[in-house]
């Protein structure tokens, strides 16, 4: 763990003392080095044992894929933001990279924490850098409002989680995830048990987010800069799923009376948010609502508490992280040229940017979960486990899959085909940096297709 944390901490110092002309190359090379070092974390996933760094941090088959995804996205965020920050003074560029590195450090500590209270602290710490990125570097005047939504939704949801963790500490005397398994908490009062579980799950459901608690997400995505959208969609939403997967197997079984409402909301949200995507005019808002739809499947899978469902949930979280991040990057390339997120004002882009049209096609196909993408592996596993849990879930998941394919094709056809608007005749060309960014998203998806057991063998 120190092999990753020490270079990250050193990067904070490097950012502050680096020469202005060398700032972007130096930070990009350092973060890519950290991302390549993080690939060694896939090794414990083959051994089904913990790899302890110290008493407070460890890596196992659940956290390794999410840790690697967090490290991989940091250089991509820096690459994607260069054009957005080109007119900023050097001090603000340093501040941006500093905040991005702080966010990465807090994410790595959150995913590797073995103490639940440390996980909670890091879970909350990620709010501060993300809020700074949204409110300071956001594009629109509503960014302060979006930041307020994002902060207060998560803070209000996290307070019950803190109370639940403190009550657990008082009851069994430890919050170590490994000690809890040896000393199961016993609650004789059914209502107390249900209330305690509800408090525990609320924070994670808001972070995912569950349909009905999702109103902060489209606002945050639409107002955030490209780096904020990438890290929100790819990693921060996964903190909720990781928290559920990490805590649920270690504690008493979740009562059916509590799991049914969450399950119904999650599956209903898959259909409803997919339907909302069909009538969106804002490209970033469409991608944000599609994230809610995909996370609904992950929530439903984690609540069934089967190994098959957990495996599908981890797989879909990694697949969605790469796919949605790439979709936001593509939306940003359109925005930087048309200065509008409206779908109808960026038609027939394939004629002007044929290579970018290829990236749009590949990402849309991955978002639709066509074979042999890892998106399909995750969705099929989740759908099969939900069908095994209850046959009637096939109606919601099947309809959700059809709607997902429909709105993805709608997004692709609207942006890439049709009549070219008159103001789009003269457009600046795409940059090598942008194509490199797309390749670095496609590459891990392709490699995982060829060797899916890196994340597929999570629980076997």
């Amino acid at each position: 763990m120190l092999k990753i944390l020490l270079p990250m901490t050193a990067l904070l110092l490097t950012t502050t003392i680096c020469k202005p002309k060398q700032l972007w190359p130096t930070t990009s090379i350092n973060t890519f080095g950290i991302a390549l070092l993080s690939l060694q974390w896939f090794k414990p996933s083959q051994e089904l044992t913990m790899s302890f760094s110290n008493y407070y941090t460890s890596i196992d088959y659940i956290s390794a894929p999410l840790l690697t995804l967090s490290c991989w996205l940091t250089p991509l965020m820096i690459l994607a933001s260069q054009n957005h920050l080109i007119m900023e003074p050097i001090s603000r560029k340093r501040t941006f990279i500093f905040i991005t590195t702080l966010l990465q450090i807090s994410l790595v500590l959150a995913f590797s924490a073995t103490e639940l209270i440390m996980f909670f602290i890091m879970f909350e710490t990620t709010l501060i850098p993300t809020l700074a990125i949204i409110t300071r570097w956001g594009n629109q005047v509503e960014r302060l409002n979006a930041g307020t939504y994002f902060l207060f939704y998560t803070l209000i949801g996290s307070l019950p989680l803190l109370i639940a963790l403190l009550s657990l500490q008082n009851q069994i005397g430890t919050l170590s995830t490994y000690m809890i398994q040896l000393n199961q908490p016993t609650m004789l009062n059914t209502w107390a048990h249900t209330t305690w579980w509800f408090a525990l799950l609320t924070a994670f459901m808001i972070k995912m987010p569950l349909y009905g608690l999702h109103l902060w997400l489209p606002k945050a995505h639409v107002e955030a800069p490209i780096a904020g959208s990438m890290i929100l969609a790819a990693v921060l939403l996964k903190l909720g799923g990781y928290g559920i997967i990490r805590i649920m197997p270690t504690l008493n079984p979740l009562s059916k009376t509590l799991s049914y409402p969450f399950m119904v909301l999650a599956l209903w949200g898959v259909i409803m948010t997919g339907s909302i995507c069909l009538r969106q005019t804002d490209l970033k808002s469409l991608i944000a609502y599609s994230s809610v739809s995909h996370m609904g499947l992950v929530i439903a899978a984690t609540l069934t508490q089967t190994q098959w469902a957990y495996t599908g949930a981890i797989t879909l979280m990694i697949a969605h992280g790469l796919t949605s991040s790439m979709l936001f990057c593509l939306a940003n390339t359109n925005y930087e040229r048309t200065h509008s997120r409206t779908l109808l004002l960026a038609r027939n882009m394939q004629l002007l940017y044929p290579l970018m049209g290829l990236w749009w096609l590949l990402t849309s196909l991955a978002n639709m979960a066509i074979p042999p993408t890892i998106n399909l592996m995750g969705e099929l596993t989740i759908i099969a486990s939900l069908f095994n849990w209850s046959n009637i879930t096939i109606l919601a998941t099947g309809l959700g899959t059809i709607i997902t394919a429909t709105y993805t094709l709608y997004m692709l056809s609207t942006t890439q085909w049709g009549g070219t608007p008159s103001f789009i005749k003269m457009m600046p060309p795409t940059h090598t940096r942008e194509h490199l960014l797309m390749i670095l998203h496609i590459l891990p998806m392709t490699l995982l297709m060829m060797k899916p057991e890196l994340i597929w063998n999570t629980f076997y």
Side-chain angles (χ1 to χ4, degrees):
M1 178 59 72
L2 285 176
K3 283 186 284 188
I4 302 296
L5 286 176
L6 287 179
M8 283 182 197
T9 311
L11 186 59
L12 297 174
L13 181 62
T14 305
T15 305
T16 55
I17 64 174
C18 185
K19 293 179 180 177
K21 287 186 178 179
Q22 297 173 356
L23 182 62
W24 290 117
T26 304
T27 51
S28 299
I29 290 168
N30 283 348
T31 48
F32 270 119
I34 292 168
L36 291 174
L37 268 176
S38 71
L39 295 177
Q40 66 179 333
W41 281 334
F42 277 125
K43 184 173 178 289
S45 66
Q46 305 301 311
E47 300 173 357
L48 296 180
T49 57
M50 298 303 303
S51 173
F52 283 95
S53 175
N54 54 53
Y55 182 73
Y56 297 103
T57 60
S58 66
I59 302 152
D60 66 351
Y61 41 85
I62 305 173
S63 57
L66 293 164
L67 280 164
T68 308
L69 179 65
S70 306
C71 292
W72 186 258
L73 273 171
T74 308
L76 303 189
M77 288 165 62
I78 292 173
L79 265 181
S81 302
Q82 288 185 19
N83 190 64
H84 181 69
L85 300 175
I86 198 166
M87 301 304 292
E88 298 265 354
I90 188 66
S91 60
R92 289 181 186 163
K93 291 178 183 176
R94 291 186 196 278
T95 308
F96 176 83
I97 297 171
F98 192 90
I99 288 174
T100 305
T101 311
L102 275 179
L103 179 57
Q104 184 188 16
I105 292 171
S106 57
L107 282 169
V108 166
L109 289 173
F111 283 126
S112 61
T114 57
E115 289 279 330
L116 291 181
I117 201 69
M118 179 183 170
F119 170 73
F120 174 81
I121 292 168
M122 290 299 126
F123 182 83
E124 294 302 303
T125 305
T126 57
L127 289 178
I128 302 166
T130 314
L131 184 69
I133 289 172
I134 292 172
T135 52
R136 172 59 192 85
W137 286 278
N139 296 319
Q140 311 297 325
V141 292
E142 286 287 315
R143 60 182 183 270
L144 293 176
N145 191 15
T148 307
Y149 262 71
F150 167 69
L151 184 68
F152 279 94
Y153 255 87
T154 314
L155 280 179
I156 291 169
S158 299
L159 185 59
L161 173 64
L162 178 62
I163 296 168
L165 290 179
L166 291 177
S167 67
L168 183 64
Q169 168 76 33
N170 287 335
Q171 188 183 1
I172 62 175
T174 181
L175 284 177
S176 170
T177 49
Y178 310 108
M179 296 302 291
I180 289 173
Q181 293 179 37
L182 302 175
N183 187 7
Q184 287 284 341
T186 55
M187 289 195 178
L188 301 177
N189 188 342
T190 310
W191 279 108
H193 181 242
T194 305
T195 309
W196 182 73
W197 259 113
F198 183 79
L200 206 61
L201 289 177
T202 304
F204 300 134
M205 293 299 177
I206 289 176
K207 198 77 170 182
M208 289 290 285
L210 181 71
Y211 179 72
L213 304 171
H214 70 287
L215 294 178
W216 64 269
L217 184 72
K219 277 184 172 291
H221 271 312
V222 167
E223 305 302 329
I226 175 60
S229 294
M230 286 171 69
I231 200 70
L232 260 176
V235 184
L236 288 177
L237 300 189
K238 314 304 181 285
L239 270 173
Y242 173 77
I244 297 171
I245 291 173
R246 176 64 76 194
I247 288 178
M248 287 184 74
T250 61
L251 301 175
N252 277 340
L254 181 62
S255 64
K256 289 183 179 180
T257 54
L258 190 57
S259 64
Y260 284 158
F262 283 127
M263 186 77 75
V264 169
L265 271 178
L267 291 175
W268 182 241
V270 171
I271 299 170
M272 288 303 296
T273 49
S275 305
I276 291 169
C277 288
L278 290 171
R279 58 185 299 274
Q280 283 298 313
T281 56
D282 188 313
L283 183 54
K284 283 186 80 171
S285 184
L286 190 154
I287 302 168
Y289 275 110
S290 75
S291 295
V292 181
S293 177
H294 284 104
M295 288 301 103
L297 279 177
V298 174
I299 292 171
T302 52
L303 289 175
T304 60
Q305 301 183 63
T306 61
Q307 292 184 337
W308 192 236
Y310 284 150
T311 304
I314 292 279
T315 307
L316 186 57
M317 283 197 285
I318 300 300
H320 173 262
L322 293 166
T323 308
S324 63
S325 175
M326 188 172 177
L327 279 172
F328 277 115
C329 289
L330 289 165
N332 186 60
T333 58
N334 281 9
Y335 178 77
E336 287 177 353
R337 284 158 179 80
T338 62
H339 302 288
S340 172
R341 298 188 308 268
T342 307
L343 277 167
L344 296 174
L345 295 182
R347 296 174 69 85
N348 207 14
M349 298 296 274
Q350 186 188 27
L351 186 65
L352 296 168
Y353 307 115
L355 185 53
M356 204 56 78
L358 173 65
W359 303 132
W360 269 105
L361 176 65
L362 291 176
T363 319
S364 300
L365 293 176
N367 197 52
M368 284 192 293
I370 65 155
T373 58
I374 49 170
N375 302 64
L376 178 77
M377 298 177 194
E379 286 193 18
L380 267 185
T381 312
I382 288 173
I383 290 170
S385 62
L386 286 175
F387 183 75
N388 187 50
W389 179 76
S390 172
N391 293 353
I392 201 168
T393 56
I394 197 69
L395 297 175
T397 52
L399 187 58
T401 306
I402 294 167
I403 295 173
T404 301
T406 310
Y407 71 69
T408 307
L409 288 173
Y410 160 68
M411 176 181 66
L412 178 66
S413 60
T414 307
T415 54
Q416 300 305 302
W417 302 313
T420 310
S422 56
F423 69 91
I424 274 187
K425 300 302 181 187
M426 291 297 292
M427 298 280 279
T430 53
H431 306 295
T432 309
R433 172 184 60 82
E434 292 171 332
H435 294 299
L436 174 64
L437 189 62
M438 305 310 162
I439 289 168
L440 290 172
H441 278 100
I442 287 285
L443 187 63
M445 286 197 272
T446 310
L447 293 175
L448 285 172
M449 276 188 249
M450 293 189 283
K451 193 173 176 61
E453 59 264 28
L454 287 173
I455 53 177
W456 186 252
N457 273 350
T458 309
F459 289 89
Y460 295 99

